[in-house]
Amino acid sequence: MQNITDGSFGFDTDILATNLINLSAVLGVLIFFGKGVCASCLFQRLSDLLDNRKQRILRTIRNSEELRETAIEQLEKARARLRKVEMEADRFRVNGYAEIEREKLNLINSIYTSLEQFENDKNKTIHFEQQRAINQVQQSVLQQALQGALGTLNSCLNNELHLRTIGATIGMFGSMKAKNN
């Protein structure tokens, strides 16, 4: 309501006076518009309206309580699922780390095995190349020795020495044949 003092406009801060004025205004409107209605009917109607309003409020409170209980149950279920998922995640994490470590060790062992195999293959290759080089040197030395021996024989052998050597060789083969029989 307005507080008009000293020609100014403002609000009345006296709650009790304001409520009495508002109540008087409401009763005045009710009496004016409800002239043909009896007071007990009017109060009965007002009481019914208040009861209906009270019932709607109580229903709303009950529905809110039911929704709250349902929400609490769902929250507890969600927390239980979260705990279960966290436990599963921890288990997977631990198993994953163990699997990673196992794979790492397998890889390291495989690399060591491969390195050992490469080392063995390298040593075999080196040994083979050494043998091949030795064989080539031996063949070269042998060939040079044979060429030298042939050169010496050709320079030292004359016809007579040559015939005696052939005779001695044939004699040697003859005596071997006689022993075998």
Side-chain angles (χ1 to χ4, degrees):
M1 287 311 262
Q2 298 175 1
N3 184 10
I4 303 175
T5 55
D6 301 329
S8 65
F9 179 76
F11 290 101
D12 188 1
T13 57
D14 186 7
I15 295 175
L16 292 176
T18 306
N19 283 337
L20 288 176
I21 294 171
N22 287 336
L23 188 56
S24 301
V26 169
L27 284 176
V29 169
L30 287 175
I31 291 171
F32 178 76
F33 287 110
K35 284 182 182 174
V37 180
C38 69
S40 66
C41 293
L42 182 61
F43 286 120
Q44 182 61 39
R45 177 80 174 142
L46 188 57
S47 176
D48 289 344
L49 287 173
L50 290 174
D51 282 342
N52 286 341
R53 177 71 179 149
K54 179 181 172 184
Q55 292 303 320
R56 279 193 308 242
I57 291 170
L58 289 175
R59 266 196 310 268
T60 302
I61 290 171
R62 267 187 253 123
N63 288 342
S64 296
E65 285 295 320
E66 289 173 6
L67 289 174
R68 180 180 163 272
E69 289 173 6
T70 303
I72 288 172
E73 288 174 10
Q74 290 176 348
L75 178 63
E76 288 302 317
K77 288 178 184 177
R79 284 182 179 159
R81 282 193 307 259
L82 176 63
R83 283 190 295 272
K84 183 178 177 183
V85 167
E86 285 175 342
M87 288 173 37
E88 283 289 314
D90 287 342
R91 187 174 59 83
F92 284 134
R93 190 176 306 118
V94 167
N95 289 343
Y97 288 145
E99 183 68 24
I100 288 169
E101 286 299 316
R102 195 168 33 254
E103 289 296 323
K104 184 173 86 173
L105 289 175
N106 287 342
L107 182 61
I108 289 170
N109 289 336
S110 173
I111 289 171
Y112 280 134
T113 303
S114 296
L115 287 175
E116 286 176 0
Q117 185 64 37
F118 288 144
E119 186 69 25
N120 289 339
D121 291 346
K122 178 190 80 162
N123 290 337
K124 285 179 183 177
T125 303
I126 289 171
H127 181 70
F128 174 76
E129 290 298 323
Q130 285 175 342
Q131 283 301 112
R132 193 169 83 171
I134 290 170
N135 287 341
Q136 285 176 349
V137 169
Q138 285 176 346
Q139 284 178 356
S140 176
V141 167
L142 183 60
Q143 191 173 18
Q144 287 175 0
L146 283 175
Q147 285 176 355
L150 281 176
T152 304
L153 279 175
N154 284 337
S155 67
C156 293
L157 272 181
N158 55 22
N159 235 355
E160 181 188 329
L161 189 57
H162 192 201
L163 287 174
R164 275 193 330 194
T165 306
I166 290 174
T169 306
I170 290 173
M172 206 168 50
F173 281 129
S175 65
M176 284 166 100
K177 190 176 181 182
K179 283 183 183 180
N180 287 337
N181 287 333

